[in-house]
């Protein structure tokens, strides 16, 4: 296994060692190195106290000094350096009331969530793996460090993190950890909607978005929001505990994926794919409850509306649909429909269009664009000013007139001339 730590991180570890302190890269970056993935962040843990870290390095930022974290600036990059610590009581179910610094690396690793995130490494010592994280990586298992109920009681967000990691890595959740998730699910009330949304979005953007089903199987969904809970289970199942506990082996035989991984890994696309069986208003309620950004909400709602609506493969029908959304979103709609073109294996319901029809629609849409057909008010041959000059009173009537003219042009793009449109307007049609 090739281990490569960025030079700035190596320099930080080396300098701390020179002053007599231990230091390692720790957590997710070690996990990702062992999996052959490129780590996104490089966290460093050390026996040095925060003030001692600040004495060693000239440029530091007190990012979480009360919890032992100092950011060491190396050029324009910052590296979080955290003192070995033991967490105190978690009275709010999310954060420790206090932390106690310790010179013992094993004590620090013991407080972490999952075995695969509780490993440390430096080039002098090699890997430090007190809890079998390397073996769990080989087996493809998500397992809590120590007693699962303790880890989840300390921080309820870990409940969702377990499922999110299983989706990102394609791992199974170990039986005791899975059972603890089901028992401790009500503790999700301690987690903010913003943090829940972040985890759910990461889950959906993973290579196994269908693992969202675990959020329902484990009973977490009802503690996310009522709208979210009703987004997947049928109405008659709402409020019931979904799916009895199964062993990890049994859970390998997963049902039809909740959301195909073939859908582009973009927020609005994956959320629309997940919410595709909802009404647009229900989808909007789910996303607003989770405090997603307005752009994602609007795009996903539009896709949910149109993905279940049949587009007839003729240019007029296609121009009408294209006029209802931004050009890129129409392409996303076709992509989403293509991913869902086969019959729904859970309900047996056929999709609105076949794959062949969608391919024809895509070709016709490209022809529409190449010809420069008018599909929006921006390219209409008349403006609001023209409408008012023609005698329409300022206000809503102008907007209604423009909308009517656009519909007239969508039927036949050759009508998009100032003369034809004003004549049509004057005819009272």
């Amino acid at each position: 296994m090739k281990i490569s730590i960025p030079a700035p991180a190596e320099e930080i570890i080396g300098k701390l060692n020179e002053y007599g302190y231990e230091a390692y890269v720790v957590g997710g970056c070690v996990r990702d190195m062992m999996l052959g993935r490129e780590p996104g962040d490089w966290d460093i843990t050390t026996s040095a106290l925060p003030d001692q870290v600040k004495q060693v390095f000239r440029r530091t930022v007190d990012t979480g000094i009360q919890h032992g974290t100092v950011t060491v600036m190396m050029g324009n990059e910052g590296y979080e350096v955290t003192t070995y610590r033991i967490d105190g009581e978690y009275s709010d179910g999310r954060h420790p009331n206090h932390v106690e610094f310790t010179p013992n690396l094993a004590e620090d690793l013991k407080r972490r969530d999952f075995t695969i995130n509780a490993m440390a490494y430096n080039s002098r010592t090699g890997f430090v793996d007190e809890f079998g994280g390397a073996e769990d990586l080989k087996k493809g298992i998500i397992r809590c460090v120590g007693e699962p109920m303790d880890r989840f009681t300390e921080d309820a967000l870990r409940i969702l993190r377990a499922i999110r990691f299983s989706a990102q890595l394609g791992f199974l959740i170990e039986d005791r950890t899975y059972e603890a998730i089901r028992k401790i699910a009500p503790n999700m009330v301690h987690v903010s909607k913003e943090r829940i949304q972040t985890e759910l979005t990461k889950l959906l953007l993973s290579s196994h978005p269908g693992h969202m089903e675990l959020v329902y199987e484990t009973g977490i969904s009802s503690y996310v929001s009522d709208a979210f809970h009703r987004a997947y289970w049928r109405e008659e199942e709402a409020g019931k505990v979904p799916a009895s506990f199964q062993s990890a082996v049994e859970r390998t035989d997963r049902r039809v994926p909740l959301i195909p991984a073939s859908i582009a890994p973009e927020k609005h696309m994956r959320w629309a794919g997940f919410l595709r069986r909802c009404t647009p208003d229900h989808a909007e309620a789910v996303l607003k409850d989770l405090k997603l950004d307005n752009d994602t909400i609007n795009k996903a709602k539009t896709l949910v509306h149109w993905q279940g609506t049949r587009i007839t493969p003729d240019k007029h029908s296609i121009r009408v649909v294209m006029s209802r959304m931004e050009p890129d979103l129409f392409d996303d709609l076709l992509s989403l429909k293509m991913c869902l073109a086969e019959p729904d294996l859970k309900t047996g319901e056929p999709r609105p269009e076949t794959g062949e029809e969608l391919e024809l629609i895509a070709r016709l849409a490209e022809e529409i664009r190449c010809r420069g057909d008018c599909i929006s008010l921006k390219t209409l041959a008349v403006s609001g000013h023209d409408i008012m000059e023609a005698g329409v009173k300022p206000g809503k009537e102008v907007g209604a007139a423009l909308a009517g003219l656009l519909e007239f042009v969508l039927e036949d793009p050759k009508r998009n001339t100032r003369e034809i449109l004003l004549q049509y307007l004057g005819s009272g049609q």
Side-chain angles (χ1 to χ4, degrees):
M1 182 190 307
K2 183 180 179 182
I3 301 300
S4 179
I5 299 175
E10 283 278 25
E11 185 177 342
I12 291 171
I13 292 172
K15 205 159 188 178
L16 287 167
N17 290 163
E18 286 176 18
Y19 280 77
Y21 306 116
E22 296 177 7
Y24 300 81
V25 289
V26 68
C29 60
V30 179
R31 176 198 70 225
D32 288 343
M33 281 194 299
M34 295 184 74
L35 290 171
R37 294 155 54 112
E38 183 65 32
D41 298 298
W42 295 88
D43 294 328
I44 296 169
T45 189
T46 180
S47 60
L49 297 172
D51 285 343
Q52 293 170 330
V53 173
K54 293 167 71 172
Q55 290 171 10
V56 172
F57 299 98
R58 184 172 58 85
R59 297 171 59 221
T60 62
V61 180
D62 293 354
T63 45
I65 199 76
Q66 72 277 17
H67 292 130
T69 302
V70 175
T71 296
V72 175
M73 299 303 300
M74 302 294 286
N76 294 324
E77 286 190 273
Y79 290 81
E80 289 192 353
V81 179
T82 303
T83 304
Y84 300 162
R85 74 186 203 204
I86 300 171
D87 291 343
E89 184 181 354
Y90 287 71
S91 60
D92 67 351
R94 277 289 289 117
H95 309 95
N97 295 345
H98 66 278
V99 301
E100 177 185 336
F101 299 134
T102 175
N104 190 325
L105 172 61
E107 288 294 329
D108 180 84
L109 298 178
K110 187 189 298 184
R111 69 179 176 82
R112 297 175 183 266
D113 51 8
F114 308 113
T115 60
I116 60 172
N117 295 333
M119 296 179 286
Y121 173 86
N122 67 27
S123 55
R124 179 186 299 181
T125 306
F127 288 100
V128 178
D129 180 14
E130 298 280 338
F131 305 102
E135 186 63 23
D136 285 344
L137 280 180
K138 290 179 183 177
K139 292 178 179 177
I141 294 292
I142 304 295
R143 180 167 60 91
C144 282
V145 173
E147 173 53 50
M149 287 294 288
D150 290 344
R151 298 292 80 75
F152 293 138
T153 300
E154 290 166 351
D155 182 357
L157 184 62
R158 290 170 174 170
I159 300 169
L160 266 183
R161 279 170 59 85
I163 297 175
R164 188 253 291 179
F165 281 124
S166 78
Q168 289 181 322
L169 301 174
F171 283 11
L172 284 172
I173 299 175
E174 177 263 344
D175 290 349
R176 288 178 66 245
T177 300
Y178 181 86
E179 189 171 15
I181 290 172
R182 293 188 64 235
K183 288 181 179 178
I184 207 74
N187 278 26
M188 286 299 300
V189 297
H190 299 304
V191 185
S192 71
K193 289 294 189 286
E194 289 86 353
R195 296 305 298 271
I196 290 174
Q197 182 269 118
T198 297
E199 292 297 321
L200 292 178
T201 296
K202 287 180 178 179
L203 191 166
L204 282 177
L205 292 177
S206 74
S207 55
H208 298 86
H211 282 219
M212 179 69 87
E213 197 166 31
L214 289 171
V215 178
Y216 290 84
E217 288 183 1
T218 54
I220 293 171
S221 58
S222 61
Y223 300 99
V224 174
S225 78
D226 180 62
F228 178 86
H229 183 57
R230 291 185 293 106
Y232 175 54
W233 295 102
R234 295 190 300 274
E235 193 65 36
E236 63 267 28
E237 291 175 321
K240 296 181 182 179
V241 177
S244 60
F245 171 71
Q246 299 170 302
S247 73
V249 174
E250 290 172 321
R251 294 198 308 276
T252 60
D253 182 21
R254 303 212 53 73
R255 289 179 278 166
V256 178
L258 185 64
I259 169 174
S262 56
I263 295 175
E266 298 178 39
K267 270 201 302 185
H268 66 284
M269 290 286 282
R270 288 286 174 90
W271 274 109
F274 166 60
L275 297 169
R276 63 188 182 274
R277 296 187 183 93
C278 299
T279 65
D281 287 345
H282 187 174
E284 181 180 28
V286 171
L287 300 178
K288 283 189 173 180
D289 281 348
L290 290 171
K291 302 186 185 302
L292 269 97
D293 58 279
N294 288 332
D295 182 61
T296 299
I297 292 173
N298 294 332
K299 286 180 176 178
K301 181 181 179 181
T302 300
L303 291 174
V304 167
H305 170 74
W306 284 103
Q307 70 84 25
T309 302
R310 176 173 169 74
I311 303 175
T312 306
D314 66 72
K315 288 187 177 179
H316 173 219
S317 299
I318 295 169
R319 283 192 294 266
V320 169
V321 179
M322 293 175 79
S323 73
R324 303 298 193 260
M325 61 193 75
E326 293 297 316
D328 289 348
L329 197 58
F330 180 78
D331 294 334
D332 288 342
L333 174 63
L334 292 188
S335 175
L336 182 63
K337 281 176 170 284
M338 188 64 76
C339 292
L340 304 172
E342 297 304 317
D344 187 327
L345 297 181
K346 284 191 175 183
T347 65
E349 296 175 1
R351 295 301 180 191
E353 306 90 359
T354 64
E356 292 78 7
E357 286 176 322
L358 289 168
E359 290 175 0
L360 175 57
I361 290 168
R363 289 198 299 271
L364 293 175
E366 186 59 27
E367 290 178 15
I368 288 168
R369 286 171 174 160
C370 289
R371 284 197 332 186
D373 290 357
C374 173
I375 55 172
S376 72
L377 294 177
K378 294 177 182 178
T379 52
L380 201 61
V382 295
S383 65
H385 182 71
D386 295 324
I387 300 297
M388 288 185 286
E389 280 193 343
V392 177
K393 294 180 181 179
K396 293 182 179 179
E397 293 182 21
V398 173
L402 287 170
L405 291 176
L406 178 59
E407 295 301 316
F408 179 64
V409 168
L410 291 173
E411 293 178 9
D412 183 357
K414 294 178 182 177
R415 297 169 175 173
N416 191 33
T417 70
R418 190 172 187 278
E419 180 182 0
I420 292 176
L421 293 180
L422 291 180
Q423 182 180 2
Y424 179 75
L425 183 66
S427 69
Q429 298 299 315

